[in-house]
Amino acid sequence: MMEKTIDVMRQAKRNTAIDADDHGLSLPTGEFAQPEYHEQRERAFELRNVSVHYGDTPAVKDVTMDIFRNNITALIGPSGCGKSTLLRCMNRMNDLIPSATVEGTLRYHGEDIYGPKVDPVQVRKIIGMVFQKPNPFPKSIYDNVAFGPRTLGMKGNEREIVKDALVRAGLWDEVKDRLDDNAYGMSGGQQQRLCIARCIAVEPDVILMDEPCSALDPISTARIEDLMLELKERYSIVIVTHNMQQAARVSDMTGFLMVQLTEDEKSRWGELVEYDETAKIFTNPADARTEDYIAGKVG
Amino acid sequence: MSVNQDEHRLAGRARIAVAGARAATGDVFGRSSRRERLGNVVFPALLLLALSVALAGLLAIIVWAVVEGGSRANVDLITNGTSRLDAASAGYREAILGSLYVIGGVILLIVPLGVGAAIYLEEYADKTRWWNRLIELNIQNLAGVPSIVFGILGLAFVVRGPLSLGFVAAAGAITVAMLVLPTVIIAAREAIRAVPPSIREGSLALGATQWQTIRRQVLPAAFSGILTGTILAVARAFGEAAPLLLVGATTFVTFDPSLFENRFTTLPVQIFNYSKQPQEEFQVLAAGGALVMITLLVVVNSFAIGLRNKFERRW
């Protein structure tokens, strides 16, 4: 056990280009210091100096990170550090909040998500989202899943699409006999898996998950984590979570965000402190703040 | 030391004695004070009184209408035409038709306009802009404007003026629609606002457009609330007489109405006209008219409530 941990640490140390002694910002902004292993993976998102403001209040500042395809990327950090805000930038859900402004660039497979010709509706077709609280539509289980394909005018047999999505979300066996029942009669965990089924029914490339398990019991949580590990074969997943064990269990990469305060404590915002392989973040973080947070000393 | 122990023993015995007495009288928990018990009885009684006053009013009207007009409660009352001379055979046919024309027109106007305005205000309008807040304030004020004012407006702009429809049922419908439109807008907005934002987010996150989200998620979910508002508005429109008097609902129309030709009359106006007559028989006729109105309202409301319950949603 010990040997293995040390091995992981050594591996991480060999692979990272960042000096582990440097306890300042581990990710210099602007020109991004690329650890070698990043080159081998296909990038889904490239975030460069992304800042989000709500009105005059900053929410996150200067986030620079690459998110890889077919990976599960976890964003962890204390409340109010802007994890959800950052996540909601990735499929332009922040557009729904009139006062929100996004600076910097977010590229998805090379294309600027906030480019002038990009339609947010098209972005959301490719980059789906699952929310903190299960939010099924007040319709039947079948109609919940069929809503997306129907609305987007997807071709193919609707029943097949619905069945396929429910199977992949691991829900089919539980609901195949009551597809016409109202979705509100399901348990919380089932509702959340229904929301995941609804999301994958429109065949996105990326699934953004905003604390998908925070309202669920441990067994439902475990089912959704298993599901995520299966889904990662086909989709890229970005998950915001309060639960560090969850991040450690499922994710490949982990980003740690932290609340920053100005000296007079009048203004606060979130910053990406460290972003690396999950194994490294949890065993040998480069930044002391990450270590304190992981060890439960703060937050 | 031994004194202390004695005291203890005595206190212990006293406690056992008290507990035993309580158990024997079935009074383990003690009793609440007289004041508390009184308050617990008096306040529900007062609340019940408030409710019974409202119910008594309704009951009194129904009983009065049945007692007074019950003798005329037959098909003739509905199918026979108006008459100033023969109270025994006179009925409400033109008035009922006139009311149906006006109400039909009102529904056709207020549903699309009211729901449309509500959707715009709730889903599209940027509430940080001063003009949108001004519009909101004005709609609320408009709901409190006396109906006779709308009658004058109808006379000036619908009967004469820009629209120049003349004294016809369509003018009545437009006038009453303007009167009840704010009520519909306010109720529809409440219903739309009651749809949780998470439903909208869920739909938008699937790549649905804002309009698809409104059309397929928000409106179906808000349907029952919108319907309730519309029922209330229609019920109010049904009972309105004042603005209609100004736009053509006049005394004793003895021909069936049509939307764009000829004067018309409606049930409340006709009831008023009959009750003005000096003969006793016409008073009976007026009470019969009230019976017809109440029955129609109950039928329409029951139908609408049934429809609403069918579409009611829980979050």
Side-chain angles (χ1 to χ4, degrees):
Chain A
M1 183 64 201
M2 193 65 186
E3 270 178 11
K4 196 178 171 196
T5 313
I6 292 170
D7 204 44
V8 169
M9 284 162 64
R10 233 185 255 135
Q11 185 82 18
K13 187 135 190 156
R14 211 183 305 131
N15 283 343
T16 180
I18 302 162
D19 187 356
D21 292 330
D22 175 14
H23 283 318
L25 252 186
S26 60
L27 286 174
T29 52
E31 198 48 44
F32 188 42
Q34 290 289 343
E36 296 157 34
Y37 55 82
H38 287 188
E39 303 298 336
Q40 298 155 13
R41 296 188 218 169
E42 189 180 346
R43 287 180 212 162
F45 290 93
E46 293 163 83
L47 279 67
R48 295 290 174 272
N49 304 97
V50 173
S51 300
V52 186
H53 289 75
Y54 293 118
D56 294 332
T57 319
V60 239
K61 276 190 185 173
D62 254 348
V63 173
T64 294
M65 68 195 290
D66 284 348
I67 290 168
F68 302 101
R69 196 175 164 183
N70 295 76
N71 263 14
I72 298 177
T73 305
L75 298 175
I76 60 169
S79 298
C81 70
K83 325 180 278 293
S84 293
T85 298
L86 194 61
L87 191 76
R88 291 167 67 94
C89 287
M90 294 181 197
N91 70 343
R92 294 192 62 168
M93 286 302 278
N94 270 347
D95 289 23
L96 306 180
I97 302 162
S99 64
T101 49
V102 179
E103 290 157 24
T105 50
L106 278 103
R107 278 193 292 273
Y108 177 70
H109 286 290
E111 186 168 354
D112 189 353
I113 295 175
Y114 284 83
K117 284 184 184 163
V118 173
D119 182 352
V121 171
Q122 299 301 322
V123 172
R124 292 181 204 130
K125 282 180 191 171
I126 294 169
I127 305 166
M129 192 163 204
V130 174
F131 297 85
Q132 181 171 4
K133 199 170 150 258
N135 60 344
F137 301 131
K139 297 174 187 293
S140 73
I141 294 170
Y142 181 90
D143 284 341
N144 257 279
V145 184
F147 173 76
R150 247 181 235 163
T151 306
L152 306 190
M154 280 169 63
K155 292 196 177 64
N157 184 332
E158 190 181 277
R159 288 205 88 85
E160 288 298 313
I161 294 174
V162 171
K163 183 182 171 183
D164 189 45
L166 285 168
V167 168
R168 275 191 278 153
L171 200 57
W172 176 251
D173 289 330
E174 288 161 64
V175 300
K176 64 182 174 197
D177 298 322
R178 51 180 185 125
L179 289 174
D180 292 327
D181 289 6
N182 194 304
Y184 280 56
M186 306 166 91
S187 73
Q190 287 176 324
Q191 288 188 10
Q192 194 62 297
R193 276 182 286 145
L194 180 68
C195 292
I196 294 174
R198 187 173 78 183
C199 179
I200 56 188
V202 298
E203 289 172 13
D205 293 339
V206 181
I207 305 174
L208 306 176
M209 295 183 167
D210 190 355
E211 297 182 39
C213 302
S214 65
L216 305 181
D217 64 273
I219 293 170
S220 306
T221 301
R223 297 205 60 160
I224 290 190
E225 286 177 6
D226 289 345
L227 179 58
M228 286 167 66
L229 292 171
E230 282 166 34
L231 291 175
K232 137 185 164 171
E233 304 296 321
R234 276 178 77 156
Y235 309 94
S236 315
I237 296 173
V238 186
I239 176 174
V240 162
T241 178
H242 265 302
N243 182 335
M244 280 181 287
Q245 285 74 34
Q246 182 169 59
R249 280 192 299 262
V250 297
S251 70
D252 302 293
M253 299 289 289
T254 298
F256 170 59
L257 286 94
M258 183 85 193
V259 182
Q260 302 290 320
L261 291 164
T262 46
E263 272 175 28
D264 56 3
E265 299 203 351
K266 275 184 182 158
S267 178
R268 51 184 290 159
W269 64 89
E271 243 175 43
L272 182 67
V273 172
E274 191 171 352
Y275 175 56
D276 214 319
E277 296 274 1
T278 299
K280 177 164 190 308
I281 292 274
F282 280 91
T283 52
N284 185 24
D287 194 291
R289 289 170 294 175
T290 314
E291 196 167 355
D292 286 350
Y293 185 75
I294 304 274
K297 283 182 197 158
V298 288
Chain B
M1 194 65 181
S2 75
V3 176
N4 214 339
Q5 272 178 345
D6 274 355
E7 269 177 16
H8 264 293
R9 205 177 301 137
L10 280 173
R13 279 182 189 158
R15 266 205 303 277
I16 290 167
V18 169
R22 277 189 177 156
T25 54
D27 198 8
V28 177
F29 300 110
R31 291 178 65 79
S32 39
S33 76
R34 199 181 146 71
R35 206 184 136 89
E36 282 174 332
R37 271 177 288 145
L38 207 63
N40 221 5
V41 174
V42 167
F43 279 96
L46 282 176
L47 300 176
L48 202 64
L49 186 71
L51 179 66
S52 54
V53 167
L55 281 180
L58 180 66
L59 201 67
I61 292 169
I62 292 174
V63 168
W64 171 83
V66 170
V67 169
E68 279 285 305
S71 58
R72 286 298 318 270
N74 50 34
V75 183
D76 286 350
L77 190 67
I78 301 167
T79 54
N80 282 6
T82 48
S83 165
R84 206 191 306 242
L85 308 168
D86 183 12
S89 71
Y92 282 96
R93 192 181 72 232
E94 293 87 348
I96 291 171
L97 284 173
S99 271
L100 290 180
Y101 273 71
V102 171
I103 292 304
V106 166
I107 293 173
L108 285 182
L109 287 168
I110 61 173
V111 172
L113 288 178
V115 175
I119 292 174
Y120 177 78
L121 286 172
E122 279 304 312
E123 302 285 327
Y124 290 98
D126 179 355
K127 287 188 185 92
T128 57
R129 305 279 174 209
W130 64 268
W131 56 85
N132 285 322
R133 290 206 302 273
L134 190 73
I135 290 172
E136 281 191 45
L137 187 70
N138 271 309
I139 288 172
Q140 269 156 28
N141 284 338
L142 220 52
V145 171
S147 59
I148 194 73
V149 176
F150 280 97
I152 297 168
L153 184 77
L155 181 64
F157 283 90
V158 183
V159 174
R160 303 186 187 134
L163 289 178
S164 289
L165 291 177
F167 292 103
V168 294
I174 294 171
T175 306
V176 177
M178 287 195 290
L179 170 67
V180 297
L181 196 54
T183 324
V184 179
I185 296 174
I186 291 169
R189 286 186 61 187
E190 297 287 339
I192 290 170
R193 206 178 310 147
V195 178
S198 64
I199 300 291
R200 293 180 184 82
E201 286 194 330
S203 173
L204 290 169
L206 289 172
T209 62
Q210 193 176 6
W211 173 241
Q212 284 167 335
T213 301
I214 293 168
R215 162 84 184 63
R216 293 168 188 237
Q217 295 293 351
V218 177
L219 283 186
F223 183 77
S224 71
I226 292 173
L227 199 65
T228 311
T230 312
I231 298 164
L232 288 174
V234 167
R236 187 180 170 198
F238 190 53
E240 272 304 333
L244 291 172
L245 289 171
L246 280 171
V247 296
T250 45
T251 338
F252 292 115
V253 174
T254 50
F255 39 81
D256 289 352
S258 73
L259 262 185
F260 293 102
E261 284 171 52
N262 297 331
R263 293 193 166 223
F264 62 101
T265 188
T266 63
L267 258 176
V269 173
Q270 193 59 37
I271 291 170
F272 173 64
N273 282 331
Y274 279 143
S275 66
K276 273 194 313 190
Q277 302 293 317
Q279 297 93 322
E280 178 67 25
E281 295 81 20
F282 280 107
Q283 308 298 321
V284 176
L285 194 57
L291 210 56
V292 172
M293 258 192 98
I294 292 169
T295 313
L296 272 176
L297 267 181
V298 168
V299 168
V300 170
N301 278 4
S302 322
F303 176 71
I305 288 168
L307 210 63
R308 186 188 69 195
N309 289 346
K310 188 168 177 282
F311 288 98
E312 187 111 71
R313 282 158 209 278
R314 287 169 213 285
W315 310 112

